[in-house]
Structure formats: structure tokens, C-alpha cells
Amino acid sequence: MKKLFLILALMVLPVAFAAAQQRKIEKANEQTAAWRYDIQNEAVGSENTALVLVWSYSKKVDIAQRQATKNAIHGLIFRGAAANSDPTKRTKALAPLVASPMVEQQYAAFFEKFFADNGEYARYAAVTSAGKAGTVMKVGKEYKVGVYVTVQYSDLRKRLEDEGIIKRLTEVAVGKKPSIMVVPSDVWCIQQGYYTEVDNQGQTERVPDYARALQSDPNLLLVISKIGELMAERGYPLSDLEAALKSIREEETDMMVLTSKDTGSELAETPMEQLNRVAKADIWMQMTWSENHMGPRVSVSFNLQGKDAYTGKQIAASSGTCPAIFASMLDLPVYLAENVGANIEPFNNQLMAFFDDMSQNGREVRLTCRCWDDAGYDFESDFDGEELGFLIEDVVAETTANNKYTLDASQNKLNFTQVRIPLVDERGRDLDARRWANKIKRMLKEKYNLESKLISKGLGHAILILGGK
């Protein structure tokens, strides 16, 4: 009888062990589904690999270790990996392979299978070391477990390319990421008294005086540099505010007021539009911050806005309040950069979602068409049996991206808004509103011998005035 019980026990034990293992796997999957991890880039290998340190959170150390490879792959696809601040390593951040956070939902069926137990993700990752001294920490009622994972980065990217989830590198235009210029916000400049008042066609406007702000505030240039470093680490090309202001000062012609040679009529370009045109950044990152003093301690509240340089529309935002420290220890630029950096990935994802949409559907610009008072014709005048306004609209429709625009038309004015134009022209040059509108200017001259004056207000607004230069 004892032998029978022993035999039965030996038969049941593997089944029980397997069931226990399965429960562990299911528990691990439940915790992984929340994707609670931090990821940091440690090194980029010569064999197109990436070494990352993944910190996973769980009540069980072995569960956190088990899910490290899955978290590493998920992080590189959707979140990117933060830079290593260790001065002996100084590795740069890795941008997420997928630009838009919506892609995970769009390709949900693929990713569900990809990240399943023993799914395809496992082909691209291997644990380098786990459980080393200092990589297991108790945080409240759970553990924070660090595991080093080597990822076949190029192969992972190719897999996503083959599925059509991301574009192949050969299909991505040069300068894939938008260029950025970091500036203090309008609110900050006005609060600090760094502004000028300008008359823009009868309207008084307060505009930031960046040159005076840079000269007067010793922290401003350092703050701009530190925030710029965060974006440069994520692969964004930077436009330098100080250099752009210098270029404007060196311009021989004052572009703030442009005059018709024939009539003397005036159209103003504001200092902001002038700076926009000279700097040629795709996105302005506007920083606002304020110090909150509480006795000997101080905290800093910040607000970061990303604005489309072509339209002025907000496309990304991040805000927060840094932890309080003793005022004597405050190094504002470093303190701000560290705390903004902790919140930068969602902001980065918003920027890339905007740029991904712009790559697919074109960038947004405006075109205003007018006639000088002495032109002798208007937009309802006939040319070869067709009204001038319709002739211009036909060219706009032919040259937009996906035929997208909105038109408000009258006898004396055509106002094209929400116009989507390609990012680059047929020669591969960056396309802004002025260069795009020049096609209409050439058509009017070549086909109908109509002279016109083309004026750019910043990068995103072109004004075409017919009847003379």
C-alpha cells in the first residue's frame, strides 16, 4: 500500500509542480500587463545591439526577473530608453521605435501575439545579468529589481518594418525629427518685464524681447541649454535662439516693414514672425517657471509647451512642481533640467505623434491672396474664360498634400487656411509657406503675365499681393 501511495505521489508531483509554475507565469503576466518598469540605456554595441538596464516592480523578485526581457522590448518599442547620467558612461537616450502611442492599439492583435508567453519578442532579448548586488531593492511592499538585458536592436526594428508598423530607414526623410528652438514663454517674459510693444497694422502687441532677457537674466541661457540637451539626447536637431537673434541684427534690410514698389502700401512682419523665419525651427519649446519659497526651502513649478512654429498651435505640454530643497542648494538650470527630464517622455511622445501626422498628411500653413488697389482687376475677373480666384484655387489644390485646405473667398481676398503642404519639395528641400506659394506666383506670371509680390510672415503664412511688386 505504501508503495502505491509513493507511486501516486510521484505521479501527482510533476502535475502539481507544472500547475504551480503556470500560476506563477499567469501572475507574472498580470503584473506585466500594467507595464510597470523603468528603462535606461547602458551601451550601444557594435553588432547593432543595445544593452539596457530594466527596473521592474513586483512583490516577487523572481517574477520581476522573469519579465525583464519582455519589459525591455516593450520599452524600446514604445517608450525609448533614458540616458545614463553616469559621467563615466554618458550614454545617450534611445528614442522609441514607434513614434505614436496610438500604434499599440492600432496593431493590438500583432502585439498581443508578439508579447505572449514564449512569443516572438523573446528572439530579440537575452538577460546579461540578474540579481547582482544593488539590483534588488525593497520599495514599500514590493521589490524594484534591476536586470541587464541585451537587445538585438536592428533586428527588432526590421521586424516592425516588415509588419508595416514603422517606416524603413530608407523611406524616412532626412531630418526625420523636427527641429526645435527652446525659448522662454511669452508669459515669463512679460512677467519679468522683458517685452516690447509694437504696432502691427494698428494693433498694439506685447512681444517678448528675447535679446534683453538673455542679457539680463544670468540663468536663462543656461536653462535653455539644459533643456536643449534633453531634446538633443533624443535626436532632435536644435535651432539656437541667441544665434538667430544675432542673424536678425545683421540683416541689412529691416524686414519688419515691407513696402510695395508701386503703391507704397505697407504690410508688417512682427518681431516674432521675423525670428521664426530666420530660425527655421519646426517646433518652439516654450519654458515657464516660477520659484516657490517656503522659509529656507524652495521648489520650482514649471510648464513646458511645444508649439508648431508654422501655426502657433500647441502640440505638446508637460508641467509639474519640483520637490522642495534648501534654497542655498538651488542650481536652477540643473534642478529644472533634472525634473523636466523625469517628465520628458510623454512630452516627447506628443511631439513625435504630431510629427508623424505631419509626415503622413503634410505640414499646415496659410496663404492670403490680395490685390493692390490700383491692380485693375480682382479675383472675380476673367482670364481665359475662368475667374482668377478659381485659377489660383486649382493650383493650390494641385500642390497641397492630399488636397487638404479650407478657403474663405471674396471678390477682393482669398484666405486659404489649414493648408497641408509636403514637408519637402521635388528637390528634397524643406518646404515652407513662402517656397510653396512661389509656385502660384510663377504660374500667374508665366500664364497670364500678372506681376505679384510674395511676402512671408514667419514660416507658416505667405501673402501674395497681385498687381505689382
Side-chain angles (χ1 to χ4, degrees):
M1 184 64 72
K2 288 183 179 180
K3 286 186 177 181
L4 179 60
F5 279 122
L6 181 60
I7 293 171
L8 289 173
L10 291 173
M11 293 174 63
V12 170
L13 276 175
V15 176
F17 179 76
Q21 289 297 105
Q22 183 60 34
R23 282 195 298 273
K24 272 191 174 183
I25 293 172
E26 291 173 357
K27 184 67 175 176
N29 289 337
E30 288 175 10
Q31 295 187 14
T32 301
W35 299 116
R36 295 178 61 241
Y37 63 84
D38 300 314
I39 182 170
Q40 178 175 292
N41 181 26
E42 292 293 304
V44 175
S46 59
E47 301 299 322
N48 297 316
T49 61
L51 175 65
V52 295
L53 173 58
V54 182
W55 293 95
S56 304
Y57 298 85
S58 175
K59 292 182 178 179
K60 300 284 188 180
V61 172
D62 60 334
I63 288 178
Q65 291 174 340
R66 180 193 298 275
Q67 300 303 306
T69 53
K70 189 177 290 189
N71 287 339
I73 297 297
H74 185 274
L76 291 179
I77 293 176
F78 296 109
R79 299 185 186 178
N84 189 323
S85 57
D86 185 338
T88 63
K89 297 180 179 179
R90 215 57 178 166
T91 56
K92 292 185 177 181
L94 294 175
L97 290 170
V98 170
S100 171
M102 299 303 294
V103 170
E104 189 168 10
Q105 298 178 19
Q106 185 180 354
Y107 293 90
F110 168 80
F111 286 115
E112 184 177 354
K113 182 178 179 182
F114 184 81
F115 284 112
D117 291 330
N118 300 316
E120 194 175 352
Y121 81 90
R123 293 172 45 189
Y124 303 98
V127 172
T128 300
S129 62
K132 289 175 59 177
T135 57
V136 177
M137 295 184 287
K138 193 76 181 334
V139 181
K141 295 182 179 181
E142 61 183 1
Y143 291 94
K144 178 181 178 182
V145 182
V147 176
Y148 289 89
V149 180
T150 299
V151 177
Q152 302 300 319
Y153 192 74
S154 294
D155 291 344
L156 176 61
R157 180 186 179 89
K158 185 176 184 305
R159 182 72 182 92
L160 299 178
E161 290 174 346
D162 291 344
E163 288 293 326
I165 296 172
I166 61 175
K167 292 182 179 180
R168 299 183 188 278
L169 288 173
T170 54
E171 298 173 346
V172 179
V174 176
K176 177 181 181 262
K177 287 196 173 182
S179 59
I180 286 177
M181 183 166 66
V182 182
V183 300
S185 73
D186 295 7
V187 171
W188 185 88
C189 288
I190 292 171
Q191 286 177 343
Q192 304 300 318
Y194 305 133
Y195 67 89
T196 58
E197 292 186 346
V198 298
D199 184 356
N200 185 19
Q201 297 182 318
Q203 297 292 324
T204 300
E205 295 181 5
R206 285 183 175 183
V207 297
D209 188 341
Y210 294 133
R212 187 153 65 94
L214 288 171
Q215 293 168 0
S216 304
D217 193 311
N219 281 320
L220 179 57
L221 188 58
L222 292 173
V223 168
I224 289 174
S225 297
K226 286 293 184 182
I227 302 302
E229 286 175 13
L230 288 175
M231 304 312 294
E233 288 173 353
R234 286 157 178 79
Y236 292 92
L238 300 178
S239 294
D240 185 72
L241 173 61
E242 192 173 30
L245 292 171
K246 183 178 179 182
S247 296
I248 291 174
R249 290 195 299 270
E250 293 175 350
E251 283 187 338
E252 294 182 358
T253 304
D254 182 5
M255 297 298 291
M256 288 179 63
V257 179
L258 298 171
T259 306
S260 164
K261 294 177 183 176
D262 299 331
T263 67
S265 300
E266 295 182 351
L267 284 167
E269 183 183 39
T270 69
M272 297 289 285
E273 291 165 340
Q274 187 182 26
L275 176 59
N276 210 346
R277 173 176 51 78
V278 172
K280 297 188 183 300
D282 295 301
I283 294 171
W284 282 35
M285 284 182 62
Q286 293 194 340
M287 274 292 299
T288 305
W289 67 91
S290 59
E291 297 182 16
N292 312 307
H293 290 272
M294 300 160 286
R297 301 175 71 84
V298 63
S299 66
V300 177
S301 298
F302 68 88
N303 185 38
L304 184 64
Q305 294 176 297
K307 292 191 173 183
D308 179 10
Y310 286 69
T311 65
K313 294 180 180 178
Q314 180 172 306
I315 57 175
S318 178
S319 61
T321 298
C322 312
I325 60 173
F326 285 105
S328 59
M329 300 173 59
L330 178 63
D331 183 340
L332 181 65
V334 174
Y335 182 62
L336 263 180
E338 288 177 350
N339 287 277
V340 170
N343 297 274
I344 202 69
E345 290 312 322
F347 183 86
N348 176 53
N349 289 337
Q350 293 173 60
L351 291 186
M352 288 311 301
F354 162 77
F355 196 65
D356 187 53
D357 172 73
M358 194 164 65
S359 300
Q360 296 291 329
N361 301 306
R363 70 165 84 248
E364 185 178 336
V365 299
R366 291 174 56 195
L367 171 65
T368 302
C369 298
R370 304 285 296 269
C371 293
W372 295 116
D373 292 341
D374 57 355
Y377 55 82
D378 57 38
F379 295 112
E380 293 182 355
S381 299
D382 285 344
F383 289 83
D384 292 344
E386 186 72 86
E387 286 187 8
L388 178 59
F390 286 107
L391 293 173
I392 293 174
E393 185 180 358
D394 287 344
V395 179
V396 170
E398 291 171 5
T399 55
T400 55
N402 302 319
N403 197 27
K404 291 186 176 181
Y405 64 91
T406 299
L407 172 61
D408 179 16
S410 68
Q411 180 178 349
N412 300 308
K413 184 177 181 180
L414 301 178
N415 190 26
F416 294 90
T417 58
Q418 297 178 317
V419 182
R420 292 295 193 108
I421 64 173
L423 296 185
V424 295
D425 64 13
E426 57 276 2
R427 298 183 184 179
R429 298 176 298 185
D430 289 342
L431 197 60
D432 58 20
R434 181 191 66 85
R435 193 182 293 277
W436 168 75
N438 193 51
K439 296 179 181 180
I440 301 170
K441 175 182 168 72
R442 287 203 310 266
M443 181 276 291
L444 294 171
K445 176 64 176 176
E446 293 169 0
K447 289 189 175 182
Y448 308 107
N449 198 32
L450 295 179
E451 293 288 355
S452 58
K453 185 178 188 67
L454 179 59
I455 301 167
S456 60
K457 300 192 74 178
L459 293 173
H461 187 190
I463 302 173
L464 194 62
I465 310 174
L466 282 66
K469 291 186 176 181

